[in-house]
Amino acid sequence: MTESIPLFPATTPESAAITFGTPLYLYDLDVVAESHADLVAALPEGAVIHYSLKANPHPEVAGVLAGLGCRAEVSSTGELDSALVAGFAAADITYSGPAKTALEIGQALSAGVTRFSVESVRDLETLVAVAHTAGQDPAGAADPIEVLLRINADRPVPGMGLAMAGVSTKFGVDFAQVLQDPQAFQDAGRVRITGLHLYMGTNLPTEEVLLGQFDAALAMCGELAGALGRDFEELDLGGGFGTPYAVPGERPGFPGLRAGLEKLLDQHVPTWRDGGPAVSFESGRYLVGSSGTLVTSVVEVKESKGQQYALLDSGIHHLGGLAGLRRLPPLRPGVLRLSGDGRDEEPTGRTVNLVGPLCTPLDQWGSPSDLPQLHAGDLLAVPNTGAYGLTASLVGFLSYPAPVEVVTGGGRPTTASRAVFTRIPVERT
């Protein structure tokens, strides 16, 4: 749940900090719209874009993308709720992720979701069973249920930092398994396999690497269509569109990606231009990453055994604490000083340990040497933190209040809210 905060005119990190205090996240909705326009320009005309809510489920951030015509990709009932609140229609939501339970699938079906990414034989069987039960209920949905079969390629694509396919992984069905036992992946009742989900990697740095993964994904499609005895209605090629994360830098434009992708599609799926399969992509990081800034204050600067420490009111519980994203050992964000007292404007050349308030020595953001001398009260900013910021951190550790999330842009008043964790009674299942 969120705690509402009155509206104020706060459009810069400095003004937001004055208005709401620190730590805070500032999201610029105009930048979200610009990012979407850049991605549309980089992809083949008519491509469908799914927004991955795992990057940032804030309802106003996600709401901009819903309004721009994106579909949504969710991996939990919480993300599903966020997508619906943000304005995505249930019919435009794809429910993905490994280890989906019958309860989750049932809740998604009850909410009107009819598109799922399936990651195993068990996953498909569970969906079929729950869909059958729902179909027996007079109040249950009777619409066809579309399934994208998620495929794990035989080999990784070179240049990937965090491979999601081509290696031993919990994600998807091995390509060879589908070829060996295609009968395990057939339509059943209302459940129809209508396409493929081919997510290969994340945060890929160059057009060359992106095109390499799309080439590898598309090369599997013809053989899979033959094995499964069907023409696919959709090919979800994943994403992995890289952009700077928690460091200064500009969002890339990928000027040659559209032409390269169209050439690959013409080669592997020549019917895509003439009513063949819809071609879709997923993005979270690229769409919202550059829209966010984390603002924090220096509480104290102290010395210990010859080393300098700047103690901040933010740390790994607000940014970079998620081990699942390989952020432990800690992320090394590119910190900028926003304001000071006019002293010591030049970098000192001396390292300063940027540490947070948590009771663990792991609560640190590295030891940069390019900052000016810091003093209590200085404002610091970490740019490009609109994706995998607050909700990819140790938000529950030590029970600190979550940072305020301030939203601006779009010719609208600034709004602010704070995520609040509460306990509620739970009945036995």
Side-chain angles (χ1 to χ4, degrees):
M1 61 180 293
T2 58
E3 175 184 289
S4 297
I5 297 175
L7 306 185
F8 289 92
T11 58
T12 67
E14 294 92 337
S15 62
I18 291 170
T19 303
F20 301 107
T22 59
L24 66 84
Y25 274 94
L26 178 63
Y27 306 128
D28 188 332
L29 301 185
D30 292 338
V31 175
V32 176
E34 292 165 5
S35 303
H36 176 265
D38 285 348
L39 188 56
V40 169
L43 297 176
E45 186 174 355
V48 177
I49 298 175
H50 300 259
Y51 174 54
S52 295
L53 265 80
K54 62 179 65 66
N56 189 334
H58 192 288
E60 292 187 74
V61 173
V64 170
L65 296 165
L68 290 170
C70 284
R71 296 179 183 176
E73 181 267 328
V74 305
S75 298
S76 71
T77 52
E79 286 189 350
L80 172 58
D81 290 342
S82 295
L84 294 171
V85 168
F88 290 98
D92 290 332
I93 296 173
T94 300
Y95 202 110
S96 66
K100 292 186 285 292
T101 66
L103 179 61
E104 289 177 90
I105 292 172
Q107 290 173 332
L109 289 172
S110 296
V113 175
T114 56
R115 300 180 79 255
F116 291 80
S117 171
V118 162
E119 310 228 7
S120 67
V121 173
R122 185 219 67 96
D123 202 15
L124 179 59
E125 290 173 345
T126 303
L127 176 58
V128 169
V130 176
H132 177 74
T133 301
Q136 305 307 307
D137 182 351
D143 293 332
I145 297 170
E146 300 178 358
V147 167
L148 301 180
L149 184 59
R150 184 164 183 177
I151 302 297
N152 178 24
D154 280 348
R155 62 187 67 86
V157 176
M160 291 195 179
L162 184 57
M164 307 287 282
V167 295
S168 178
T169 177
K170 68 179 180 180
F171 297 108
V173 184
D174 287 353
F175 177 65
Q177 180 184 352
V178 179
L179 299 184
Q180 291 169 2
D181 188 16
Q183 292 305 311
F185 305 98
Q186 298 295 321
D187 299 347
R190 294 194 293 131
V191 177
R192 299 173 51 244
I193 296 178
T194 58
L196 299 175
H197 187 184
L198 300 157
Y199 200 105
M200 305 284 284
T202 184
N203 200 25
L204 306 183
T206 66
E207 288 183 357
E208 181 182 6
V209 176
L210 282 165
L211 289 171
Q213 72 147 356
F214 294 136
D215 189 17
L218 288 166
M220 295 185 288
C221 295
E223 200 166 352
L224 288 166
L228 294 171
R230 69 188 62 231
D231 293 324
F232 297 121
E233 298 173 19
E234 179 179 357
L235 301 177
D236 182 339
L237 300 180
F241 309 102
T243 192
Y245 174 59
V247 294
E250 298 297 320
R251 183 180 64 254
F254 303 127
L257 189 60
R258 169 177 280 196
L261 263 168
E262 290 178 346
K263 182 177 179 180
L264 290 175
L265 287 165
D266 288 338
Q267 175 186 345
H268 294 291
V269 194
T271 61
W272 76 279
R273 295 181 186 268
D274 306 308
V279 180
S280 62
F281 300 87
E282 300 169 33
S283 180
R285 186 190 309 267
Y286 187 88
L287 288 171
V288 300
S290 57
S291 72
T293 302
L294 171 60
V295 186
T296 181
S297 295
V298 178
V299 177
E300 179 184 359
V301 179
K302 62 189 290 187
E303 298 277 335
S304 175
K305 302 186 186 304
Q307 294 192 52
Q308 188 175 82
Y309 291 81
L311 281 69
L312 314 179
D313 59 7
S314 184
I316 61 173
H317 55 321
H318 301 156
L319 177 70
L322 185 62
L325 288 178
R326 298 182 180 176
R327 301 303 180 216
L328 289 176
L331 173 73
R332 309 278 181 187
V335 176
L336 306 174
R337 189 171 78 165
L338 291 177
S339 65
D341 58 8
R343 298 175 291 174
D344 309 315
E345 294 299 328
E346 297 299 319
T348 65
R350 181 187 180 190
T351 60
V352 55
N353 297 290
L354 300 177
V355 298
L358 303 183
C359 297
T360 169
L362 292 176
D363 185 20
Q364 58 176 301
W365 282 348
S367 304
S369 60
D370 58 352
L371 289 171
Q373 179 61 47
L374 299 180
H375 303 277
D378 285 353
L379 284 179
L380 305 181
V382 186
N384 291 317
T385 50
Y388 301 112
L390 181 59
T391 48
S393 299
L394 301 177
V395 289
F397 189 45
L398 266 71
S399 298
Y400 272 89
V404 175
E405 291 177 283
V406 182
V407 178
T408 189
R412 49 177 295 163
T414 295
T415 64
S417 60
R418 189 196 307 274
V420 178
F421 296 90
T422 62
R423 295 186 186 276
I424 60 174
V426 176
E427 297 180 359
R428 294 181 179 181
T429 58

